[in-house]
Amino acid sequence: NLTMTASAAAPEIKTPNRRKRMLLIGCGAALAFACVAAGGVGAFLYFRDRLGTAEEPAVAYILDTSPRMNLSGEEGTRLSVAQAILAEIVRPADPTYTTGLRVFGSGARPQPCEDTDLVVPFSAANQSAIADRLLGLQVGAAAESALAEAMLAAIRDLDTARGPHYIVVVTGGADSCNPQAGELIASEAERVGISLETYVVGFQVTEQD
């Protein structure tokens, strides 16, 4: 049941002044991460090559550390498997890329629906720092999963970077804070002049998610 679809919630937005692009890749709620690992990494590399440019890309990695990531599966907790998958995506990345790591649901902020934190600031040749930081991440205690807030923050993180923009998201499910999450993300992309393209790789994920 591996599916790859363009998200209706965050449509492509074209602007006349700045033709930047942002690529979103989301990994699905059922957390069959072995399947998502192959699909997610492959899709990221495929679409990265499609959107290639002379200007170096900037990549924001986002990891779900909300309580749902503490659920166990055959390969360990959702978080431990997600950490391994994200590390698999990060390590072979081009060192000239500007990259950073953001999490949500870790408890870094007192308001659960604003709980997102840039745990590795953006820099070139950042793969080792991100991979090392991934291993130390733990699940937070708050009940909410502020996925949209993390993505909005990532759009702002990337706003000053030149070249194509990518957001790579590994999550245990949809945003639980705001039913208009997709519209908020699209609006923020339009505000900063980004052409937003969304590619979702999911395994046993509901159509609504």
Side-chain angles (χ1 to χ4, degrees):
N1 293 331
L2 180 66
T3 60
M4 183 164 63
T5 66
S7 169
E12 181 179 72
I13 299 169
K14 297 182 178 180
T15 58
N17 297 325
R18 297 167 61 193
R19 297 191 57 80
K20 296 182 179 180
R21 292 177 184 268
M22 182 172 294
L23 174 69
L24 269 54
I25 295 178
C27 297
L31 278 299
F33 278 122
C35 188
V36 174
V41 175
F44 173 63
L45 296 176
Y46 172 72
F47 288 114
R48 180 197 65 188
D49 292 340
R50 279 189 61 200
L51 301 179
T53 177
E55 296 179 321
E56 294 299 342
V59 185
Y61 298 104
I62 299 178
L63 178 62
D64 185 351
T65 55
S66 64
R68 63 189 175 193
M69 299 299 282
N70 213 25
L71 297 175
S72 297
E74 292 182 1
E75 304 297 328
T77 66
R78 289 180 169 189
L79 181 62
S80 66
V81 181
Q83 287 167 320
I85 287 176
L86 192 50
E88 182 179 343
I89 295 172
V90 169
R91 287 192 183 99
D94 190 324
T96 61
Y97 287 13
T98 297
T99 59
L101 174 63
R102 179 172 286 280
V103 299
F104 64 94
S106 67
R109 296 180 179 272
Q111 297 298 324
C113 286
E114 298 175 1
D115 186 14
T116 181
D117 187 29
L118 183 65
V119 294
V120 179
F122 283 81
S123 176
N126 222 7
Q127 298 98 315
S128 294
I130 292 175
D132 290 345
R133 187 69 180 88
L134 279 169
L135 297 177
L137 294 174
Q138 297 182 346
V139 169
E144 301 294 347
S145 300
L147 172 58
E149 185 66 23
M151 292 171 62
L152 291 171
I155 291 175
R156 299 176 193 126
D157 292 338
L158 294 169
D159 186 30
T160 59
R162 302 185 66 183
H165 294 168
Y166 302 93
I167 296 181
V168 178
V169 181
V170 178
T171 179
D175 179 273
S176 66
C177 290
N178 196 320
Q180 284 79 44
E183 289 83 350
L184 289 173
I185 294 164
S187 176
E188 183 66 14
E190 183 176 32
R191 186 189 69 79
V192 298
I194 289 173
S195 175
L196 181 63
E197 297 186 8
T198 304
Y199 300 92
V200 178
V201 179
F203 185 81
Q204 296 179 347
V205 182
T206 66
E207 183 176 350
Q208 182 178 359
D209 276 351

